Each structure stands twice: as C-alpha cells, then as structure tokens.
Amino acid sequence: MDNDPKRHARVPRDFESLRSTIIERKANMPKRLAQVAAFALGNPDEIAFGTTASIAAASDVQPSTLVRLAHHLGYGGFSDLQSIFRERLRDRTLSYEERLVTLEQSSGDDEDANLLSGFIAAANQSVNRLAATVQSDTFTKAVNILAGAETIYLIAKRRSYPLTAHMTYAFSKLNIRHQIVASPNGVDPEMVQFATPRDAAIAASFSPYAADSLSQSQELADRGVPVIAITDSAFSPLAACATHWFEVAEADFAGFRSLSASMALTMALPVAIAERRRKRQQSKPVKGKME
C-alpha cells in the first residue's frame, strides 16, 4: 500500500486538475491505461454514471485496467477516481439560478465589486494559462493553412458560438472569404458539403462537446478539408480529427466559465491570416514586368 503522504498530496481532487494530470502523463502511460484515460476525458458523464463493468466494456478494456489507471494516478481505487467525475457532474448540472445563489452566498459585503473582480481574475487566469502553453509553431502552421484556403468554414455551437460570430465580423472586414456554419433553417449539414480540400475550417468546442460540431468537423476531415480546432484537451474528440489544434483551458468563476483566452486566440487568427495573405501577394512578381 502506498503510504507516501507527498504522493497523496499530489492526487488531483477536481476535474480540471485531473484532466491536466492525465494530459501531462499520457505520453508515458502504458497503452491500455492511455486508452481508458482518453475514453474517460472524452466521456466523463459515462464515467460518472457507469459501473466498472459497463465502463470497461465501453472503453474496450478489462475492469482491472480501470483500477490500474486509478492507482497509476495516485487514487486508492477506481471508486475514488470516479468520485472526481461525479463531482464534476454535480458542478456542471447546477442551473443558472443555483449558480447565482452560490455566487450570492460567497460574494461578501460588496457584492458587485466582488463579482466583477471574480470574473476579471478568471479571465486573467485563462489568458495567462494560454500564454504559457500555446505553441507558436502550431499557430504559424495553422495560419499558413488558413491563409491558403479559398473559403474558411467556421464551426461552433452553444457556448463556443461567440468565437465564430467574432471571426465572421473580422473576416468580413478583412475581405477574407468565409462561411459560418450556423443556419437558422437547419441546413448546416448541407452547407459543409460545399467544402473541398482547397478550403479549410476553424472549429471550436469544449466539454461537454457539441455533437453537431464534432460530426461536421469529422465529415470535413474525412473529405480532406484541413480542420483547425480550438478545444480543451488532447483527448477531445475534436482534437482527434484536427490537422492542428489549440488547447485552451478556460478558468471559471462561480461555475461561469470564461471565454477570454479563446477570444484572444480567435482575434489573433483573422489578423494573422490577412497579414500572411498580404505578404504573399506582395511577393508575387508583377505580370508584364521586365526581368
């Protein structure tokens, strides 16, 4: 039995910490442990609700593998690990009214000032985390692909939708051809059928992932359309079908998650694409010019 108090102190006790730990260790995990860890982050509700037998069957491993994963991460057993997923579910399923009540109970005397500072702190934390983790070469590769696309398709639903709404505005101002996949009459599947490998897509989705965003992104990837993804995990199903992807882990305040880091990224992309296209245009030889 592991009685090392320092090891137990490092055991993640919330879902975000657990997710970060799994991502950090995934490269060194045995194959079967990495397989079930990927399933767990991609299907957190099933981990929270399921039995050892049902989860093992769904992730195509032996039940003992779940216990091995729990021990590998420092937990006493699988039920201890499962409690993190159940706690996440309780937090996520709070209604907005319940979140406001929780906020009111913890806001102190100056409610308005504390609320504002809480959201500013969450936004600051999100942006700082992105600044520390984003890879500049991934950004450059993504910009190169998008700058060469004939049309850029924008895919995001629910909480992620404001990201594509902003990019639609920016691309329009920068004269970049694009198509936001968000039709009021439900023809999104038909819209993505027009995309070809000469185009590209930017897709954004965070846990719990929007099913339509995943299916549309996968369809584009299957047809050879490059997909640049903005998501929250290396195990995200959106990352799995992406040509390049950005991990953005947004902080929250009282259960309300920030979009600050994601918005900073989606503000940078259109400007970088426009600048890349401008430089490419300038480098082209002028027709008819004497050598």
Side-chain angles (χ1 to χ4, degrees):
M1 184 175 180
D2 184 1
N3 293 314
D4 182 357
K6 292 183 179 180
R7 178 174 174 80
H8 285 288
R10 295 193 296 269
V11 175
R13 282 297 157 195
D14 61 81
F15 183 76
E16 288 303 317
S17 298
L18 173 61
R19 184 183 64 82
S20 297
T21 298
I22 290 175
I23 292 170
E24 288 171 5
R25 299 185 187 179
K26 73 182 181 75
N28 298 319
M29 281 186 183
K31 181 179 178 181
R32 287 300 186 186
L33 296 192
Q35 178 180 329
V36 74
F39 178 84
L41 292 190
N43 304 271
D45 291 358
E46 187 157 347
I47 302 296
F49 285 121
T51 64
T52 303
S54 68
I55 296 168
S59 56
D60 195 25
V61 298
Q62 295 295 319
S64 60
T65 306
L66 302 180
V67 179
R68 287 172 51 215
L69 175 65
H71 290 162
H72 181 82
L73 295 171
Y75 295 95
F78 180 68
S79 60
D80 191 16
L81 172 60
Q82 190 178 39
S83 68
I84 305 300
F85 289 85
R86 290 177 173 172
E87 186 64 32
R88 165 198 169 273
L89 193 62
R90 284 193 290 270
D91 291 342
R92 183 169 64 83
T93 55
L94 283 176
S95 69
Y96 276 84
E97 182 63 29
E98 289 171 322
R99 294 181 195 182
L100 291 174
V101 170
T102 301
L103 185 63
E104 182 179 339
Q105 292 172 345
S106 61
S107 60
D109 294 332
D110 195 342
E111 181 178 339
D112 291 339
N114 290 334
L115 188 151
L116 178 59
S117 63
F119 278 104
I120 291 173
N124 188 52
Q125 182 181 346
S126 297
V127 172
N128 287 340
R129 185 182 295 165
L130 177 63
T133 59
V134 70
Q135 297 181 340
S136 58
D137 61 333
T138 300
F139 186 81
T140 298
K141 291 173 182 177
V143 170
N144 284 335
I145 289 173
L146 294 165
E150 291 183 359
T151 301
I152 299 174
Y153 286 78
L154 305 175
I155 299 172
K157 316 295 180 188
R158 301 200 304 251
R159 189 176 73 91
S160 306
Y161 178 78
L163 303 177
T164 50
H166 172 76
M167 284 190 286
T168 295
Y169 175 82
F171 283 142
S172 297
K173 291 293 186 180
L174 294 167
N175 296 317
I176 296 173
R177 182 184 294 175
H178 64 281
Q179 175 64 63
I180 186 168
V181 184
S183 58
N185 54 356
V187 295
D188 290 5
E190 288 78 9
M191 292 170 69
V192 298
Q193 289 179 5
F194 289 104
T196 74
R198 297 189 301 274
D199 303 315
I202 300 175
S205 189
F206 306 95
S207 179
Y209 308 103
D212 286 346
S213 294
L214 299 183
S215 62
Q216 290 159 12
S217 299
Q218 186 63 60
E219 180 184 346
L220 291 173
D222 290 344
R223 298 212 316 270
V225 180
V227 176
I228 307 303
I230 301 171
T231 189
D232 55 4
S233 168
F235 293 126
S236 162
L238 190 57
C241 69
T243 308
H244 298 293
W245 64 279
F246 298 95
E247 180 181 352
V248 183
E250 298 280 8
D252 74 89
F253 177 61
F256 295 91
R257 277 184 292 175
S258 169
L259 269 179
S260 303
S262 305
M263 188 61 76
L265 180 58
T266 54
M267 291 175 72
L269 279 171
V271 176
I273 293 165
E275 181 65 8
R276 186 64 44 83
R277 288 188 174 189
R278 186 182 68 84
K279 289 182 177 179
R280 288 178 181 177
Q281 189 64 35
Q282 288 177 342
S283 66
K284 290 182 179 179
V286 179
K287 290 183 179 180
K289 184 176 181 180
M290 297 295 293
E291 296 293 337

